[in-house]
Amino acid sequence: MEYKKVCLMFRHEDYATDGIRSALGLAVENMYAYGVVMDTELPAMDEYAKETIEMLRDMEGDILTTVPANVEKSDLTGITIEELGEKLREMTHIIPYGIK
């Protein structure tokens, strides 16, 4: 059985928390789920969002970011645009998340 790999991409901070929860939901459904916060510095995450990210990591997913400030402030995993391009080639589904 081949598992699906899904990447949700967030460009606006309004959708990051919802997108993180959606990634966790996909992981619960036996998919490898990743989220990427692109080009946006997020405000400090609340405890609920941090717990959601930890649960996602326990299920072999992760929340990545292209913004170094998010790595320091929110404990997200840093990734460069080049590394992101390689990661996206591994995905079976890529979902732009949010309308802004």
Side-chain angles (χ1 to χ4, degrees):
M1 179 175 174
E2 186 171 324
Y3 291 98
K4 294 181 177 159
K5 291 184 176 183
V6 181
C7 185
L8 299 155
M9 302 181 79
F10 326 118
R11 290 202 77 120
H12 196 275
E13 67 182 68
D14 290 348
Y15 297 102
T17 303
D18 284 342
I20 291 167
R21 284 196 311 261
S22 294
L24 179 60
L26 292 172
V28 169
E29 291 296 321
N30 289 330
M31 296 181 199
Y32 291 102
Y34 302 89
V36 181
V37 178
M38 299 190 60
D39 307 327
T40 301
E41 186 174 336
L42 298 176
M45 293 199 172
D46 61 8
E47 199 60 36
Y48 176 74
K50 289 178 183 178
E51 287 177 10
T52 303
I53 292 169
E54 286 306 312
M55 285 188 278
L56 179 60
R57 287 178 176 155
D58 288 343
M59 293 185 212
E60 299 182 36
D62 204 356
I63 301 297
L64 312 168
T65 184
T66 60
V67 181
N70 291 334
V71 174
E72 297 167 17
K73 202 169 29 170
S74 300
D75 195 32
L76 303 182
T77 303
I79 192 168
T80 65
I81 293 293
E82 292 79 18
E83 292 168 334
L84 178 59
E86 291 298 317
K87 187 93 170 155
L88 291 177
R89 287 180 181 87
E90 301 170 10
M91 299 296 138
T92 56
H93 301 345
I94 300 168
I95 303 168
Y97 196 91
I99 57 173
K100 292 184 183 180

